[in-house]
Amino acid sequence: IEEALKILRFMIRSGVKPNSITISTIVDALGRCHGSPRVQDAILLVNKLEKDKLMAAPLDARVITSLVRTCGLGNDIRNVILSFKRFKNNEKMGPEPDLIAVNVFLEACCRCNRGDLALETFRFYFEQPRDSRPSSQLLLQADVISYSTLICHLLSAEAIRKQANRETAQSLYASMKKESVCPDKGLVDSILKNMLQLARNAAHSLPRADVLFVAAVLRDATRLEDCWDQGQMERRQRAVRAVLA
């Protein structure tokens, strides 16, 4: 990353303005630094380039998305929110967030243990009736990443103990299927793993709604024929039967 920053400084001294791809790549790299994400360095870099008019205003969506991702990797929820506010909103003009940007924000919120904010954002962008949206707001369609991010967070080790979180996860899963968004292998495995672990640790059997949820996910898994190697589906079926039978 230090070599990349040296090259960036050389570019600027040579009169070559960096484009959004260059800056977003460096911001992403600062978030992946070994040991600890360099969140403040990423923010200072973007602010400096803006101040010196080396980047067009408002910021490109690609750069904002990278900034949100890096702040999330640093568990810095304050700057996750501030960075996302660089997108167009009621207070400020900017680019519209696209699906990738919203998904990155959802993941950053969940990483910072702000599932409540992630759920609120999900509902704002994906569940508002079309006729109630601001005319300027893009119509976004949630994908499997959008749903998986929230469902996996709600069913994580601590959150899954609360029945309300499980009910919300089940509601999101039902909504996903209603919107014809297919679960992928990662989502199926995460749900089965966490729900079965909950069942093993429970003093009593799982509520009927939870059992039906696991059964529905397992049925959906059998339809993902291209995702499973030989014997993988059968092992999952045996694991579910062993715990819930």
Side-chain angles (χ1 to χ4, degrees):
I1 185 62
E2 294 302 332
E3 288 301 315
L5 290 170
K6 286 180 183 178
I7 294 172
L8 176 63
R9 287 191 286 268
F10 179 76
M11 284 176 58
I12 293 171
R13 287 197 301 269
S14 301
V16 179
K17 284 189 176 183
N19 61 21
S20 61
I21 296 175
T22 301
I23 299 307
S24 64
T25 300
I26 293 176
V27 170
D28 277 329
L30 288 167
R32 297 192 303 269
C33 281
H34 179 69
S36 178
R38 293 168 58 175
V39 173
Q40 290 304 317
D41 287 344
I43 293 170
L44 289 172
L45 171 64
V46 172
N47 288 344
K48 173 69 173 172
L49 292 173
E50 274 191 302
K51 180 180 178 182
D52 293 347
K53 301 188 185 309
L54 293 172
M55 293 178 59
L59 281 181
D60 182 87
R62 187 194 302 264
V63 176
I64 301 175
T65 301
S66 295
L67 200 54
V68 172
R69 183 184 293 112
T70 291
C71 293
L73 290 170
N75 292 311
D76 187 343
I77 188 61
R78 176 178 177 274
N79 280 309
V80 165
I81 295 170
L82 289 175
S83 297
F84 194 71
K85 283 185 176 180
R86 290 174 179 261
F87 284 112
K88 185 176 182 179
N89 57 57
N90 292 334
E91 301 172 2
K92 186 176 182 179
M93 295 299 295
E96 291 275 5
D98 58 12
L99 178 59
I100 294 174
V102 175
N103 283 347
V104 167
F105 182 72
L106 297 179
E107 182 181 359
C109 289
C110 291
R111 180 182 289 271
C112 297
N113 202 30
R114 284 297 308 274
D116 58 325
L117 181 56
L119 186 58
E120 178 185 325
T121 303
F122 181 96
R123 287 171 172 161
F124 177 79
Y125 283 101
F126 303 132
E127 293 187 349
Q128 281 193 89
R130 297 194 174 205
D131 55 3
S132 69
R133 296 175 187 237
S135 58
S136 61
Q137 183 182 324
L138 291 176
L139 296 178
L140 299 178
Q141 174 70 49
D143 63 4
V144 68
I145 296 174
S146 317
Y147 286 104
S148 295
T149 299
L150 278 175
I151 292 171
C152 291
H153 177 74
L154 290 163
L155 299 181
S156 60
E158 293 299 323
I160 196 172
R161 298 178 185 177
K162 296 182 179 180
Q163 183 176 347
N165 287 340
R166 300 198 303 275
E167 290 173 352
T168 302
Q170 291 165 27
S171 175
L172 285 167
Y173 190 83
S175 174
M176 181 182 73
K177 292 176 64 176
K178 182 179 178 182
E179 295 296 326
S180 300
V181 178
C182 293
D184 59 14
K185 182 179 178 181
L187 177 58
V188 165
D189 275 351
S190 178
I191 292 173
L192 294 180
K193 175 185 174 182
N194 290 323
M195 291 298 293
L196 294 182
Q197 188 61 47
L198 176 69
R200 292 187 190 99
N201 295 338
H204 306 287
S205 59
L206 291 181
R208 176 175 170 78
D210 290 344
V211 174
L212 292 176
F213 176 50
V214 173
V217 172
L218 190 62
R219 282 196 304 273
D220 291 338
T222 62
R223 301 187 181 104
L224 304 175
E225 298 177 357
D226 297 335
C227 293
W228 310 109
D229 293 332
Q230 186 174 2
Q232 286 187 328
M233 191 66 247
E234 290 76 10
R235 286 197 294 273
R236 284 157 178 78
Q237 290 171 329
R238 287 196 299 271
V240 170
R241 285 197 295 267
V243 174
L244 301 183

